[in-house]
Amino acid sequence: MQYPKNSARRPSSRGLMKGLVALMGCTALTTPVFAQEAPAAPDEPQEIVVTGSLGALPVNDVSSIFGFDKTLIETPRSASTISNEQIERFGIREIYDLVSQSPGVFTNSFFGVGGALDIRGTPGEAYFRGVRRLENPGNYPTPIGASDRIDIVRGPASPIYGPSKTGGYLNFVPKSARAAGGKYLGTAEGELSYTSGSWARNVLTAEVRGPGKLGGQEFGYSLYGQIEDSGSYYRNMSTRQSIVQAAFDADLAPNFRVEFGGMYHNYKGQQNGGWNRLTQDLVDNGTYITGAAKPLDTNGDGQISHGESAAANGGFGLNPFGAAFCSNPPFSNPFSSGLNNGCLATTYADMGLTGVGTAKLDRRNTLTAEDDKLNNVAKTAYLDFIFDGGNDFEIKNQLFYDGYEHLSENQYGFSQFHDSWVIEDKIVISKTFKSELGKFSFQASPSIRYTKFRHGDDFNYEYFHRVDLTKGYDALSDRLLSTECECDYAGYLKGHYTDLGMAGLADFDFNFGLDVTLGARYDHVSVTTADVAAFLENPASATSAKGSKGGWSWSASANYKLPLGLIPYVTISRQTTTVTGQGAEIYAADVLSGGFLSASKLYEGGIKGSFLNNRLYAAVAVYKQTRVDRNAQAIVNNQAVETKGIEAEVRWSVDRHFLISANYTKTKVENLTGLGSGVLFSFFGIGDLKGLDPALYLGGQPIGLVPIPNGKASRRAGIPEDLYSANLTYSFDNGLSFAGAVTHVPSVFSGQSQVVKLPAYTMVDLTASFKTGPWLFRAVMKNATNAKYFRANFTELFGSTIALPERPRSWQASVIYKF
């Protein structure tokens, strides 16, 4: 089967016009009778605006770190904020673009899907308005266009937010229905935009926000919509998605208000495993090993079933574990060293290739097949009631829902589904006391979080190498998937778990410059989970479990305001971590062992400063964070690691025209599970099987254990030790502005066994904008120098077998009308 010459789908202009009409319909909610701008309360914090800073300077209060309204300068943790103005000026369209804007973040490829960033060397999490969303390592690309700002918090969350991962999180703050200072807008405002670009990119957005009136009730609203129908640089890939987001605020009484809204995101695309048959020669020179796999489709239906795969090689299958039946006794050697050409040619003859040769591989030809799909519908909603009792006393009830229906199908042999949702209710009682000594704030927060999941995996017969990427998929490589036949799942389970939590925070901000923040939390998690035997390939393996476990979290932080604007700080914390899978699932084995609940420890110190009348911000942090239990890990998205590092950033608004920032990150991350046991399970790549003829095994997938003898071998692959980035933008008085982002990434190993090294590269993105009246025109060039680079993929398991060749130079242009 040949790849089509051009897989980029031509967008339907009729469909886009329908979408435009639907988005414009949002304005029907406006009304000519606008609410009066409510005056801000005397003690209510006012937004500080530094002209020309694009909101990049951390001078305004945020509550996404400790729960208290403090600026990032005053907050004793390493964190950054990316404003909506920065997102617009620098042409940021996916979470990968955030790497140049903040220290401490980088990301390996999760099969080409930007679900979450790696923060401090391990997969991070996503929060929405300060509440943790369901797991999304790569279920769907996390949308950022509807965000008013994005907070990047490095390290585990504060106890007030509940169990969290070790590395950190992104907190997405949606566009609000209120203006600065908490009052309603005086008039409606909004914008329409259309973006086109390389590879048939087509994106239409519309947003409007303002005051309204329903009967006698005044309210504020914010509505956002996006429709995309785009092609792709890679063959057999495209993106179709729609996003609708809404926020409403209303003052039900002088001291009582409600905030509610949500987001609907329907995404249709594909995962991208990148290049298979990975070698150093392929990375360096594009030299690819060609050849067709041997036939396994015995019934002639055009696909390889689970049974046909298992029957290969006389029932030995296509994925020998270590030396397996090449050793004596069998399975006595779990490493690659016991395999030899003679045994492969005889015992595993069905793993061989025919017509073997070499060719130069087109970077557009990757593991994605014509019938691959990644479909995900995510729904998020919130409802907050806020009672202001006066005298700095507040009670807030936050109700939050997040859910998704997910389907992933990859013809090389992997499929998966999730049908999961979570609902959380949290009460936060806040009281602040002021005296001659200073300001002392307290919070108490009981919460309940209930998660329900149904999850299925099909990975027992995952063969990346059977397809020759110069030819494409055919009956020799196309596998019948469990989601296609609703049969033979490797795992199929359903269940639920409940987290009952109680948290308390205290902040002692003394007038002489010392600020101490203390917090504690206890979580009790009860889990019920069961395999569904009827859908499993091995029904006898089905198990179920019920269990519960509790865990303490605490934090202690202090900073001190020195002269000249310097604020040194220190933080020590212990944070509970719930270890779940890609679909928020928990397996019976983890319940029985208690491994579904672990914890991490953080030691961090640093110094921050704001200078030149708040126009210059600088911060540096040194940290060490460690997972407490090295045996409790989800290898896909929640590894047990220890990370040590340095993070530094500078942001300088030189004047109202010129903004510059720079970041430096040093990261050393080790997999504690591998370091403790001395081995990690992995798929073997060509570089692991030294001295063996690849033509004898690329029709299958040898697997086994990789030795981890020391800390150097345990280093998590794909994450650069040193990372540098800089951003600058200059705007002229005539409406013209320019921006550039530069990121330098040193060479990294692609996998845990460190046999293939991906080259260093420097990424340059350029943007030009012109504003005249209500119109804004923007052009963006991504990878302006056309750097050739790769991103490591799922390094612990597949890093030596596949890697993603990234996109060359591309462009996008937007026309925006603001009103």
Side-chain angles (χ1 to χ4, degrees), residues 47 53-56 82-91 147-148:
E47 183 178 16
S53 70
L54 298 180
I82 313 301
S83 68
N84 179 63
E85 291 85 357
Q86 289 173 275
I87 293 172
E88 182 178 86
R89 177 69 60 86
F90 288 94
S147 301
D148 188 58

Side-chain angles (χ1 to χ4, degrees), residues 571-608:
T571 290
I572 303 174
S573 76
R574 184 186 193 275
Q575 177 62 268
T576 297
T577 299
T578 306
V579 183
T580 63
Q582 287 175 255
E585 76 279 5
I586 296 178
Y587 284 85
D590 293 325
V591 176
L592 295 173
S593 68
F596 66 92
L597 206 64
S598 184
S600 62
K601 288 184 178 179
L602 169 69
Y603 303 91
E604 179 177 314
I607 187 167
K608 302 180 181 183

Side-chain angles (χ1 to χ4, degrees), residues 12 42 218 223 271 311 356 387 393 484 513 516 529 557 621 656 736:
S12 165
E218 296 177 343
L223 305 172
Q271 288 187 337
V356 176
F387 171 74
F393 175 69
E484 294 175 322
V516 178
T529 183
S557 304
R656 64 189 182 89
L736 185 64

